[in-house]
């Protein structure tokens, strides 16, 4: 038996033995090493997604680990290979898939939400979801490839260009990653964030920040851009005020990329969209090219993953890690160490 972290009900996680079985045709069995906790995991923890998540549910989709066993028909992979997982399974038959947008399949299985995730010591997934990792990349840092792939996709959706002025509203993990990816694309970037700890970390990573509690962001952007306004804004805060800021900072023909999940409708200044011919684009998930680019950015240090990891906890302490993130404590990214076998798990 191996160990897994199960979500059973709102604010309740249970680390308990779980059975593992031989991988089937086209499948591989993985030994997850590190699994990151993201905002969607917190939504599940709060009970906000109970209508979608079947309990008991194994959470986690930001991971890195190694192959343990390969199933029949799997080629190109072998035990010991270092991998991460693009946690998407699509049907290839719906209109979205037929149009080439499999990552937003209309019947998408997001592994770790709709089906068992990575927060366990053994995890079986389709071989088609595997992304190879370089052996030189430490597995704890590689656990940030998935959120980096989100950022790569977001920057691509916004079509950020060299020399453009970009405002990222929200300096949490994804916001910081978007800022770093946009900066690597040649953009001039500013991060708007209320939390002083997050602003300090962003500045230590070479990013410039603004505090919306102390600064008139719209006025500062006017000064920064010579009254032209920003070319691109990313809304990553999930707050109504963040939406307002992201719209207000944009110049003529500016692009707003909506990244955050807003569970309820927001007021949007549509007159500004009309007046300045703004564009709104949604950004959800990623495709394989985004993941492969993310691996490169993490491996070459463009994304300083080690600086973004605030804490690493064993499986048995996963619940406390969720509570720490929920509390708004000065943490950025917490990883769950699935290699800790001191809780009595066996091969």
């Amino acid at each position: 038996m191996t160990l897994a972290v199960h979500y059973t009900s709102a604010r309740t996680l249970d680390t308990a033995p779980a059975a593992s079985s031989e991988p089937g045709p086209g499948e591989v069995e993985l030994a997850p090493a590190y699994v990151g906790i993201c905002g969607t995991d917190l939504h599940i923890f709060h009970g906000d997604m109970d209508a979608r998540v079947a309990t008991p549910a194994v959470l986690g989709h930001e991971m890195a680990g190694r192959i343990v066993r390969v199933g029949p028909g799997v080629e190109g992979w072998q035990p010991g290979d270092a991998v991460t997982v693009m946690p998407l399974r699509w049907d290839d038959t719906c209109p979205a898939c037929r149009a080439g947008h499999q990552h937003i399949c209309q019947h998408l299985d997001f592994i770790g939400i709709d089906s068992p995730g990575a927060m366990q010591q053994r995890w079986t997934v389709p071989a088609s979801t595997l992304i190879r990792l370089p052996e030189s990349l430490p597995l704890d840092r590689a656990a940030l490839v998935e959120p980096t792939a989100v950022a790569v996709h977001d920057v691509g959706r916004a079509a950020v260009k060299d020399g453009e002025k970009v405002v990222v509203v929200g300096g949490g993990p994804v916001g910081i990653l978007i800022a770093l990816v946009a900066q690597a694309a040649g953009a001039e970037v500013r991060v708007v964030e209320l939390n002083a700890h997050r602003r300090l970390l962003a500045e230590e990573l070479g990013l410039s920040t603004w505090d919306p509690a102390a600064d008139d962001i719209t006025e500062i952007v006017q000064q920064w851009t010579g009254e032209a306004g920003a070319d691109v804004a990313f809304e990553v805060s999930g707050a109504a005020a963040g939406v307002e800021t992201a719209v207000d900072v944009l110049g003529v023909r500016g692009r707003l990329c909506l990244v955050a999940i807003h569970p309820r409708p927001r007021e949007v200044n549509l007159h500004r969209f009309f007046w300045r011919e703004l564009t709104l684009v949604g950004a959800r998930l990623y495709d394989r090219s985004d993941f492969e680019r993310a691996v490169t950015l993490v491996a070459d240090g463009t994304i300083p993953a080690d600086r973004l990891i605030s804490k690493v906890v064993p499986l048995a302490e996963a619940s406390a890690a969720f509570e720490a993130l929920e509390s708004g404590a000065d943490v950025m990214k917490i990883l769950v160490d699935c290699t800790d076998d001191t809780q009595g798990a066996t091969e």
Side-chain angles (χ1 to χ4, degrees):
M1 299 292 286
T2 62
L3 291 177
V5 177
H6 295 93
Y7 166 77
T8 57
S9 62
R11 301 185 53 76
T12 304
L13 297 176
D14 178 37
T15 303
S20 63
S21 58
E22 291 276 350
E27 294 181 336
V28 296
E29 183 183 39
L30 306 179
Y34 298 95
V35 181
I37 303 171
C38 80
T40 302
D41 296 322
L42 278 179
H43 282 302
I44 297 172
F45 179 66
H46 294 155
D48 297 337
M49 298 175 65
D50 282 358
R52 177 177 173 183
V53 176
T55 57
V58 180
L59 306 184
H61 55 272
E62 302 179 358
M63 66 78 64
R66 293 187 182 276
I67 295 174
V68 176
R69 293 184 287 186
V70 299
V74 173
E75 298 180 356
W77 299 102
Q78 61 185 7
D81 286 347
V83 297
T84 186
V85 167
M86 185 174 73
L88 308 179
R89 187 159 35 201
W90 49 80
D91 64 11
D92 247 345
T93 62
C94 74
C97 287
R98 294 199 305 271
H101 308 306
Q102 288 91 342
H103 70 291
I104 46 176
C105 169
Q106 290 165 231
H107 308 108
L108 186 69
D109 172 6
F110 192 109
I111 304 171
I113 300 175
D114 304 307
S115 57
M119 214 168 286
Q120 53 185 317
Q121 292 179 316
R122 294 292 183 269
W123 188 33
T124 298
V125 297
S128 60
T129 66
L130 298 181
I131 305 289
R132 193 177 300 277
L133 297 173
E135 283 296 330
S136 60
L137 178 60
L139 293 179
D140 57 347
R141 300 181 189 184
L144 271 73
V145 165
E146 192 272 354
T148 301
V150 170
V152 171
H153 186 77
D154 297 341
V155 170
R157 284 286 290 154
V160 173
K161 302 179 186 66
D162 184 26
E164 289 192 315
K165 288 184 164 57
V166 172
V167 177
V168 179
V169 182
V174 172
I176 294 297
L177 289 169
I178 288 171
L180 291 169
V181 173
Q183 185 170 266
E188 296 182 52
V189 182
R190 298 293 184 271
V191 177
V192 178
E193 172 55 48
L194 281 166
N195 183 283
H197 173 78
R198 289 178 168 182
R199 288 200 308 276
L200 178 60
L201 177 59
E203 289 162 6
E204 290 174 348
L205 297 178
L207 298 167
S208 298
T209 69
W210 291 323
D211 178 2
D215 304 318
D216 183 332
I217 302 302
T218 304
E219 178 58 32
I220 290 177
V221 170
Q222 288 297 296
Q223 296 171 11
W224 178 47
T225 63
E227 300 189 355
D231 299 293
V232 179
F234 292 90
E235 204 310 280
V236 202
S237 73
V243 175
E244 183 177 355
T245 297
V247 173
D248 287 348
V249 300
L250 288 171
V252 170
R253 291 273 175 111
R255 289 106 64 199
L256 169 58
C257 184
L258 182 62
V259 178
I261 298 173
H262 290 263
R264 60 183 61 86
R266 302 294 192 192
E267 279 195 12
V268 179
N269 185 352
L270 292 180
H271 182 269
R272 185 171 287 265
F273 272 81
F274 156 75
W275 198 252
R276 294 195 168 186
E277 292 196 352
L278 304 181
T279 298
L280 171 64
V281 295
R284 175 188 170 203
L285 301 176
Y286 29 62
D287 59 26
R288 180 165 289 271
S289 65
D290 297 322
F291 250 86
E292 291 169 347
R293 175 63 175 156
V295 170
T296 298
L297 292 174
V298 174
D300 70 12
T302 300
I303 301 299
D306 56 324
R307 302 292 306 282
L308 295 172
I309 299 169
S310 305
K311 184 186 296 186
V312 180
V313 304
L315 274 172
E317 297 178 19
S319 184
F322 274 75
E323 291 169 3
L325 284 171
E326 172 187 52
S327 71
D330 291 340
V331 294
M332 186 63 70
K333 178 63 68 175
I334 297 180
L335 303 184
V336 175
D337 181 355
C338 296
T339 67
D340 185 341
D341 59 2
T342 60
Q343 308 301 316
T346 59
E347 291 293 333

